[in-house]
Amino acid sequence: MQVIATAGHVDHGKSALLRALTGMEPDRWAEERRRGMTIDLGYVWMRLPSGERLAFVDVPGHARFVPNMLAGVGQVPAVLFVVAADGGWMPQSAEHLAAIDALGITRGLLAVTRADLADPSQAMAEARQVIGRSSLREVPALAVSAVTGQGVDELVSALDLLSASMPSPDRTAPVRIWVDRAFTITGAGTVLTGTLPAGTVSRGDELLLTPALRPVKIRGLQSLGDDAAQAAGVARVALNVRGAEAHQAGRGMALVRPGEWTMTSVIDVRLCGPADGGSAGDRLAEARLPRTVMLHFGSARVLTRVRMLGADLARLTLADALPLHLGERVLLRDPGAAADSPGMTGAVVLDVAPPPVSRRGAAAAAAAELRSWPDQPSAANLLRRHKLIRSADAGAMGLAGQPAEVAPGWLADPDHVAELKSALARLVAAHAADHPLAAGMPVDAARAALRLPDREMIRAIIVPPLKLTAGLITAARPGEASPAGTLPASLAGPVASVLADLAARPFSAPEAARLRELGLDNRALATAARLGALLRIADQLVLAPGADTAARTVLASLPQPFTAAQARAALGTTRRTLIPLLEHLDRQQITRRLPDDRRVVR
Ligand SMILES: Nc1nc2c(ncn2[C@@H]2O[C@H](COP(=O)(O)OP(=O)(O)OP(=O)(O)O)[C@@H](O)[C@H]2O)c(=O)[nH]1
Ligand SMILES: [Mg+2]
């Protein structure tokens, strides 16, 4: 099956032509038939001579119903463009073509209708010329009459050729069905209809209804009026679902397979230039987007805030989240555009989870980075920007060709991994210098210091000479002398005096006056600390190396969580040392401070 939408100005004969082709009535509403005008989308189908079935989404031509037209054309890969022989090219001909162009639809046919009422040649020549400058380019064109039947057989043959030229989508592709109708059938329950562009749905499948991600189960399935156990895209489907009432569902929502799409309300996009070449910059400079636009995608339309990042790059903030993939093309419409301009721009999605651009210069930096990206961003593009991405998230972004995981469940930018490895080596060396008595750096402390989201990631960057034993990371250099041994002679005496002072009261740091008396200024203290001869918990506060580990043992014996007063009593110290010591322990991830200021030993 293939699905194709109509397009064209009001009263140019779209619905009449579908009636002539299919024998079915596309105008579903009594009001539409009474007024002789399509208001909402209609759905009819036919069997082509090749045996293939072709479904049509009939759209309204009236200017007031452009949003409905966009919901119809937003789901299909091809259009049947209708221009009346006696009407010629009209405002909604132009507006519909602008929408098709913005969405980047490349397949279609031109039918010049009402050919029994006027010579079609002029309307045809004009339409072909304008359409030729759009994404549709050269299209087959035929003169037809729904009344006399002139040209209808030729149109059927042309539709057969068009249908045969359309690709058969991947049956295993992610599933997303934009809902175009939701209603209740007595005895059966909720029915949702839409176009399945690719992938397969089966009776019994569990899908999620966006944006609330309400789980629904497919109880029954019909395609073009026939019951089926399964449907593969492209297909029109009517799904009888359990889990949602008809009033809870509606046009603009989508049924998606869990984990296959990113629900997002912030995206980075590249605005698309015109199909007829020229410089994209020219056209965009002239059609600068307003701050607020309506974003149309699938059957959805969402109020959207625009922040330009660069000439043709923008950050869009959507009022409601949509299920999107990278590289998809959305349509931005300026509802206040001047009458002579359709105010429609296509935009291709470059990032579905972009980092914030609140810092000064962040927008320009984002534009500089995105500028070089292709319309279908690669894993390398995304990883360079995000550094780390969960494999599952990459799948939900629609990232094709995922690289190998660096750790179970994680993809990473190779440069970032190299940076992480050297940062870890530096951390472990610094930790060893600060804690000469410690057996190694706790793996969780390293993970926190590098802000890694997962323990698996830290394991992946522990490479020789680093090694992981019993939760501690060490730089394995057997036989290496203790760094404390290298203390300069000028410091050895004073440091020994400090350690002697501390022997009796290990958690009472020597007073500043005492340090001055010993000639230990800030620089000397820093050197001693770096060499592991002293533990420096604040500028003028030093304890013996290992005092933090000793404090941990004392604090661990307290009822958890404990207060500062309890810690002070247990450690036999004063607030002068206690508070910097506790803060040091927090930083070392030995203790954790709770919101009520109590602490626990980790
Ligand atoms: N003589 C003649 N009349 C036609 C032909 N096609 C359509 N009509 C008439 O033109 C009028 C409009 O036709 P529709 O098919 O409703 O037009 P439409 O494009 O679907 O209009 P909207 O859906 O409102 O945009 C109707 O009165 C039709 O009977 C044709 O080939 N010949
Ligand atoms: Mg109609």
Side-chain angles (χ1 to χ4, degrees):
M1 185 193 309
Q2 295 291 352
V3 183
I4 174 170
T6 56
H9 195 73
V10 64
D11 266 352
H12 276 206
K14 298 177 289 298
S15 302
L17 185 57
L18 293 192
R19 249 174 249 127
L21 284 167
T22 67
M24 295 174 73
E25 177 54 65
D27 287 332
R28 293 174 287 124
W29 298 358
E31 186 191 351
E32 294 180 310
R33 294 198 288 273
R34 195 173 63 243
R35 292 170 65 181
M37 172 194 273
T38 305
I39 297 169
D40 199 13
L41 303 174
Y43 308 94
V44 294
W45 57 89
M46 67 183 293
R47 196 172 284 280
L48 294 165
S50 62
E52 176 79 295
R53 286 186 305 174
L54 182 61
F56 295 92
V57 177
D58 187 30
V59 309
H62 195 282
R64 268 185 46 208
F65 308 128
V66 169
N68 288 345
M69 183 275 174
L70 294 174
V73 83
Q75 306 180 58
V76 302
V79 290
L80 174 58
F81 207 105
V82 167
V83 178
D86 58 334
W89 196 253
M90 295 292 279
Q92 270 64 56
S93 314
E95 192 165 14
H96 287 194
L97 186 65
I100 289 162
D101 194 34
L103 290 169
I105 297 174
T106 56
R107 293 186 167 82
L109 278 179
L110 168 64
V112 177
T113 50
R114 296 165 57 110
D116 56 303
L117 297 179
D119 176 358
S121 49
Q122 198 192 330
M124 184 175 291
E126 187 183 10
R128 289 185 79 160
Q129 195 192 9
V130 189
I131 291 173
R133 293 200 297 265
S134 76
S135 57
L136 290 173
R137 307 273 177 196
E138 283 271 305
V139 288
L142 297 101
V144 296
S145 166
V147 168
T148 66
Q150 172 201 340
V152 171
D153 287 345
E154 289 81 352
L155 180 59
V156 170
S157 303
L159 287 167
D160 216 349
L161 276 178
L162 175 67
S163 155
S165 77
M166 284 157 64
S168 333
D170 180 0
R171 297 174 69 96
T172 64
V175 167
R176 180 184 58 196
I177 303 167
W178 288 103
V179 174
D180 42 43
R181 279 187 301 157
F183 49 91
T184 307
I185 291 185
T186 323
T190 310
V191 175
L192 307 179
T193 71
T195 302
L196 174 69
T200 306
V201 288
S202 306
R203 203 181 294 143
D205 280 359
E206 308 249 6
L207 301 175
L208 301 174
L209 182 64
T210 69
L213 301 183
R214 176 193 297 272
V216 300
K217 185 165 180 166
I218 303 179
R219 297 167 63 186
L221 193 159
Q222 280 195 346
S223 188
L224 307 189
D226 298 333
D227 285 325
Q230 194 174 70
V234 182
R236 284 290 307 167
V237 289
L239 305 177
N240 177 207
V241 299
R242 187 167 48 221
E245 305 285 329
H247 69 85
Q248 294 165 324
R251 183 169 298 170
M253 298 182 181
L255 288 164
V256 294
R257 179 116 51 218
E260 293 184 337
W261 300 88
T262 303
M263 285 301 293
T264 177
S265 54
V266 184
I267 57 177
D268 281 352
V269 298
R270 175 180 293 126
L271 307 178
C272 304
D276 65 342
S279 140
D282 290 354
R283 140 100 163 244
L284 293 165
E286 141 207 337
R288 249 190 118 73
L289 286 178
R291 292 174 65 93
T292 311
V293 295
M294 202 57 94
L295 182 150
H296 294 260
F297 187 67
S299 64
R301 59 189 167 118
V302 181
L303 195 65
T304 295
R305 214 151 25 87
V306 179
R307 170 162 182 197
M308 294 305 297
L309 300 173
D312 60 346
L313 295 161
R315 164 88 29 115
L316 304 182
T317 306
L318 285 55
D320 289 306
L322 294 180
L324 289 172
H325 273 174
L326 300 171
E328 291 198 298
R329 185 121 163 198
V330 300
L331 184 151
L332 305 178
R333 180 171 187 235
D334 174 8
D340 60 346
S341 143
M344 297 203 223
T345 309
V348 55
V349 178
L350 297 180
D351 199 342
V352 288
V357 284
S358 38
R359 269 184 309 106
R360 248 181 104 82
E369 177 167 34
L370 295 175
R371 193 163 298 134
S372 63
W373 289 22
D375 282 355
Q376 182 66 59
S378 68
N381 295 142
L382 263 290
L383 286 170
R384 182 154 293 270
R385 187 175 211 204
H386 293 269
K387 315 256 190 273
L388 289 177
I389 301 178
R390 280 183 196 277
S391 313
D393 291 345
M397 289 177 180
L399 202 53
Q402 288 192 13
E405 293 183 336
V406 293
W410 288 95
L411 308 179
D413 176 48
D415 288 350
H416 183 59
V417 173
E419 279 160 28
L420 284 174
K421 284 178 182 165
S422 49
L424 181 63
R426 285 195 302 276
L427 268 179
V428 171
H431 185 272
D434 286 350
H435 306 78
L437 301 182
M441 183 172 198
V443 70
D444 277 338
R447 186 186 61 78
L450 294 173
R451 296 168 188 273
L452 290 175
D454 191 330
R455 273 192 176 186
E456 296 287 0
M457 267 308 301
I458 188 119
R459 292 208 183 97
I461 57 166
I462 300 176
V463 291
L466 298 185
K467 65 170 187 184
L468 178 64
T469 6
L472 295 173
I473 311 171
T474 48
R477 282 203 206 96
E480 190 182 62
S482 156
T486 60
L487 199 61
S490 64
L491 283 183
V495 166
S497 301
V498 169
L499 293 176
D501 291 354
L502 285 164
R505 305 196 53 201
F507 303 112
S508 291
E511 300 277 349
R514 170 72 174 146
L515 296 175
R516 258 199 314 279
E517 175 193 314
L518 291 168
L520 291 170
D521 58 10
N522 262 337
R523 199 160 142 204
L525 292 175
T527 308
R530 197 176 60 247
L531 295 171
L534 290 174
L535 172 67
R536 197 176 187 214
I537 56 175
D539 265 3
Q540 291 281 311
L541 287 180
V542 289
L543 297 174
D548 47 0
T549 319
R552 182 189 198 283
T553 311
V554 173
L555 297 174
S557 68
L558 290 174
Q560 307 288 315
F562 56 85
T563 62
Q566 289 167 321
R568 180 165 50 78
L571 295 169
T573 181
T574 60
R575 286 187 67 81
R576 184 178 65 89
T577 307
L578 179 78
I579 299 305
L581 174 58
L582 288 177
E583 285 168 356
H584 174 80
L585 297 177
D586 291 342
R587 283 194 301 275
Q588 294 300 312
Q589 316 250 337
I590 292 171
T591 52
R592 182 157 58 91
R593 185 175 177 172
L594 305 177
D596 65 0
D597 263 2
R598 293 189 297 169
R599 284 177 167 82
V600 288
V601 172
R602 285 178 184 254

